[in-house]
Amino acid sequence: MQISKLSVVLMALQFLAASLAHAAPRKAHTVVLSAARKVPYDKVGDPAGAVAGEDSLRIRALLVDGALKEWTTGDAHDVTDRSFVVRRVLRINDALPSDQQTAGQPGQAAAGKPQGHWVWQRGPWLLVDRLTGRVTPLKLPDYDAGASQVAWFRDYAAYCGVTSTGKSLYAVVAQVGVRKPALVKKLAAYDVENHPWPVCGLPEWQREPLQVTFHPAGRDAAGFDLVGGSAALVEGDEDAEGEKKP
């Protein structure tokens, strides 16, 4: 009886060793931000995000395993040792239907050259996982490309947000991985046509005690204490397509 049990154990160990030997190794992903280059950029092409007189924008390619995933702008911020955030930049077709009709029949474009009038616009923020190669758009509450300058600290994003009605300016602190903002406080009324630029200066962080100070244009600085908590970002074992591995 003891010999039989020993045989079963040995067979189980041999099966486990064979399974581990044939298991597919984890694919290593390479995530790189390329060197920056300048592209034409102006307030006509990007009414929300461009400063008057700004004529160029520095952009960098986000490459995953050598393939272009997104175009980005500005500095990246390391959230953890494997994840970082960076702002996306969009290439938008700014052509009117009349422009396309003048250029030719709609849908007819030269091979490899999309038809239209293309402009660059500053876009939302992206969360990038170096281990899995996954790129995830961040949905920051009340984020406005023309008003929100984001100051990152750990997994917190502090910025001036604009409500959906476009009439109020708020101090907002969002935490990556948490739907409800850690802070939402009204700063001032907001009029996109008459508000000074920039709408807000870059918020300032203080570690101990955890505090963030906002600088709305034309108003006194406003500081807020935050209750510090653990990071909420959960870095899952997922591949570049976002599918769970068995």
Side-chain angles (χ1 to χ4, degrees):
M1 190 68 177
Q2 292 180 351
I3 296 177
S4 177
K5 288 183 179 180
L6 181 60
S7 299
V8 171
V9 172
L10 290 174
M11 290 178 62
L13 291 174
Q14 289 175 351
F15 178 80
L16 178 60
S19 299
L20 292 175
H22 290 87
R26 179 190 297 274
K27 181 182 177 181
H29 295 281
T30 302
V31 179
V32 176
L33 285 170
S34 72
R37 68 182 180 92
K38 289 185 178 181
V39 294
Y41 183 73
D42 56 40
K43 199 167 183 63
V44 175
D46 189 3
V51 178
E54 191 174 17
D55 60 0
S56 66
L57 185 68
R58 294 176 66 86
I59 66 172
R60 293 189 293 172
L62 173 61
L63 305 171
V64 178
D65 299 333
L68 174 64
K69 286 295 183 181
E70 300 287 355
W71 288 102
T72 70
T73 187
D75 296 329
H77 165 73
D78 287 323
V79 178
T80 70
D81 57 348
R82 66 177 260 188
S83 295
F84 67 91
V85 290
V86 67
R87 192 172 184 181
R88 186 185 181 195
V89 63
L90 308 172
R91 199 168 183 228
I92 302 293
N93 185 2
D94 194 49
L96 295 170
S98 57
D99 297 334
Q100 295 178 349
Q101 290 172 4
T102 302
Q105 293 298 321
Q108 294 180 356
K113 294 183 179 180
Q115 187 177 3
H117 174 241
W118 299 89
V119 296
W120 293 95
Q121 293 188 5
R122 289 184 172 100
W125 285 81
L126 304 170
L127 176 67
V128 185
D129 191 316
R130 292 187 180 92
L131 181 63
T132 65
R134 189 178 185 187
V135 180
T136 307
L138 290 177
K139 295 181 179 179
L140 300 177
D142 293 330
Y143 176 84
D144 183 272
S148 303
Q149 297 189 66
V150 181
W152 288 93
F153 174 66
R154 297 175 182 166
D155 58 342
Y156 291 102
Y159 55 93
C160 291
V162 179
T163 57
S164 57
T165 61
K167 295 181 179 181
S168 297
L169 191 69
Y170 278 79
V172 181
V173 175
Q175 188 174 16
V176 178
V178 179
R179 182 173 299 179
K180 186 178 179 180
L183 173 73
V184 179
K185 295 289 185 181
K186 185 174 180 178
L187 293 172
Y190 180 68
D191 180 356
V192 67
E193 297 295 333
N194 301 310
H195 212 91
W197 183 269
V199 176
C200 281
L202 197 66
E204 297 177 332
W205 282 99
Q206 175 182 303
R207 182 181 289 109
E208 294 180 2
L210 186 58
Q211 186 182 74
V212 60
T213 302
F214 292 82
H215 301 278
R219 291 181 174 268
D220 294 335
F224 302 95
D225 294 325
L226 297 175
V227 178
S230 299
L233 174 61
V234 177
E235 297 166 317
D237 185 18
E238 300 179 352
D239 60 18
E241 288 72 37
E243 297 178 356
K244 292 286 185 180
K245 291 185 177 180

